[in-house]
Amino acid sequence: MSGQFCVFKTRPGYANMLGAIIDGNNPVGVMGTVAGDDALLVLLREGTDHAEVLASMEVFLPGLRNKVV
């Protein structure tokens, strides 16, 4: 995570599915996602607290906090 961006690295072919999951759950502070093949860009709303975003995504992506670098 950096500023208003969050990048997820995935296995090839998984980024689109992860983007659909995130967009479908409408987590706090997330404007939307842009998916490639093995990377997903999550666009955060201005002034969003990174910890709050991670907490709201961990509800439907268990263990996410353990994977953040």
Side-chain angles (χ1 to χ4, degrees):
M1 294 184 128
S2 178
Q4 292 175 251
F5 304 105
C6 177
V7 176
F8 286 87
K9 293 294 290 171
T10 69
R11 292 182 177 166
Y14 282 57
N16 192 39
M17 175 203 54
L18 181 58
I21 291 169
I22 292 172
D23 288 338
N25 281 281
N26 198 28
V28 171
V30 174
M31 285 193 324
T33 62
V34 179
D37 182 50
D38 64 351
L40 177 71
L41 175 63
V42 179
L43 303 169
L44 306 177
R45 297 188 186 284
E46 191 170 341
T48 299
D49 179 49
H50 294 171
E52 187 178 14
V53 172
L54 288 175
S56 68
M57 282 199 260
E58 195 159 37
V59 171
F60 55 90
L61 296 172
L64 179 63
R65 286 182 194 230
N66 299 331
K67 305 248 185 227
V68 174
V69 179

